[in-house]
Amino acid sequence: MSERDKILRYYRSSGDVELAAKLLDLAEVTLKNRKYKVSEFLDPYGQSIAETIAAHYDRLTMETNGGYAGAERMKAAFVDTDFLDYAGSLDYCIDTLVIQWDSRYYRPSHRDVLGALMGLGIKREILGDIIMASEQCYVITDTAMAAYIVQNLTEIGQAAVSVSQASLDDIPAKEEKVKEIRSTVASLRLDAVAASGFGTSRTRMAEDIAAAKVKINWQEAKSSSQAVKVGDVISMRGRGRVEVIEVPGQTKKGRYSVLLRRFM
């Protein structure tokens, strides 16, 4: 069985075979032309698939770039190791746009901005991070789509907006509100841990999981009973994400102590 077949077989069981196949195609072209190939924007789970692929080929290394320090969504570059010896900087074809509105009347959210962009027919894979500020936001995008967005994005919801090119150096330092949560849960099931982290009932969380609003490690949650472990990241649409930092042990009543870190 070839390395490609082994990798596809592994990701077929998790439902990610299509992405794995696309990344494998890039890796194999890189090995053939002995240079490099760059993917579309990937979430952290997609990046982990790219890392797995690179690790299976001796002449292949992987680098990432999301346009600024601390980016979550990034492009992966498969690079022939021989090419690294004489190559300059890699061209990831990443541009930055700034979207502005009148903050006296409108306060678009991250979801509003993303919805407006995808309403133009833009795939999520073409877009990197969206960094919100008080009167504007910065959008990381593939260079090929930048001019189209500038010309066609004129409103977000009811808010009239203007879009212009910006420099990657203009992007403000990423700020995230972080809250540590110490709690006890009846079990290390996803619904129990997520309910504690997001401050909701276990029943409501189970409903949200069933409605495909919850991901674990950037993959859609399979079920409420899915087991959670230290290091897992639980994200919820519109609510941010929760990272499982520590599970110190069980209480005398058999409940599990957990330390969670919530990013809002």
Side-chain angles (χ1 to χ4, degrees):
M1 183 181 293
S2 68
E3 292 296 336
R4 181 186 180 93
D5 290 337
K6 290 177 184 176
I7 293 169
L8 290 178
R9 183 177 181 180
Y10 176 80
Y11 285 109
R12 187 172 288 111
S13 62
S14 62
D16 302 295
V17 67
E18 184 176 345
L19 176 57
K22 288 173 65 175
L23 293 173
L24 276 164
D25 289 344
L26 293 178
E28 290 172 353
V29 170
T30 300
L31 292 171
K32 185 175 181 179
N33 67 23
R34 293 181 173 270
K35 293 182 180 179
Y36 74 96
K37 279 291 183 180
V38 178
S39 74
E40 296 178 317
F41 285 99
L42 305 169
D43 63 21
Y45 179 67
Q47 294 161 36
S48 74
I49 295 177
E51 288 176 355
T52 298
I53 291 170
H56 277 75
Y57 296 91
D58 293 337
R59 276 185 23 234
L60 208 60
T61 187
M62 190 200 82
E63 298 188 6
T64 55
N65 191 319
Y68 70 106
E72 180 173 289
R73 294 179 59 80
M74 296 194 285
K75 290 188 175 187
F78 293 110
V79 190
D80 188 291
T81 51
D82 292 337
F83 183 75
L84 281 176
D85 295 335
Y86 60 86
S89 59
L90 305 181
D91 184 4
Y92 286 87
C93 295
I94 293 175
D95 270 17
T96 306
L97 302 177
V98 58
I99 303 175
Q100 297 175 301
W101 53 80
D102 191 332
S103 62
R104 293 175 300 175
Y105 308 110
Y106 305 106
R107 293 277 181 174
S109 66
H110 183 285
R111 183 187 298 181
D112 295 331
V113 175
L114 178 59
L117 289 166
M118 296 186 73
L120 296 177
I122 297 171
K123 297 189 304 178
R124 186 66 178 101
E125 294 81 3
I126 297 298
L127 302 171
D129 285 358
I130 297 172
I131 303 99
M132 303 300 296
S134 58
E135 298 182 357
Q136 59 193 19
C137 73
Y138 293 88
V139 176
I140 311 298
T141 181
D142 188 277
T143 299
M145 194 57 65
Y148 176 80
I149 296 173
V150 170
Q151 294 168 7
N152 291 279
L153 185 64
T154 58
E155 60 183 18
I156 297 175
Q158 299 299 313
V161 301
S162 62
V163 188
S164 58
Q165 291 271 358
S167 167
L168 292 173
D169 296 331
D170 294 334
I171 299 173
K174 191 173 183 179
E175 294 183 6
E176 286 186 299
K177 295 180 179 179
V178 180
K179 177 183 179 182
E180 285 200 347
I181 300 168
R182 292 185 181 274
S183 182
T184 63
V185 293
S187 73
L188 295 178
R189 286 169 47 120
L190 176 59
D191 55 358
V193 176
S196 183
F198 289 108
T200 188
S201 71
R202 189 167 173 176
T203 300
R204 177 62 184 272
M205 181 55 63
E207 293 172 353
D208 289 331
I209 293 170
K213 294 181 180 180
V214 179
K215 293 185 177 182
I216 180 165
N217 299 327
W218 292 273
Q219 290 182 279
E220 187 174 310
K222 296 181 176 66
S223 71
S224 295
S225 61
Q226 189 171 344
V228 172
K229 63 184 183 303
V230 172
D232 283 348
V233 177
I234 305 166
S235 52
M236 185 175 180
R237 193 185 308 162
R239 299 286 302 275
R241 65 186 189 277
V242 169
E243 182 179 357
V244 183
I245 303 301
E246 187 180 354
V247 182
Q250 289 181 274
T251 67
K252 292 180 179 179
K253 294 184 178 181
R255 293 175 65 85
Y256 289 87
S257 299
V258 292
L259 173 60
L260 309 174
R261 183 178 294 146
R262 182 176 177 187
F263 300 85
M264 299 174 284

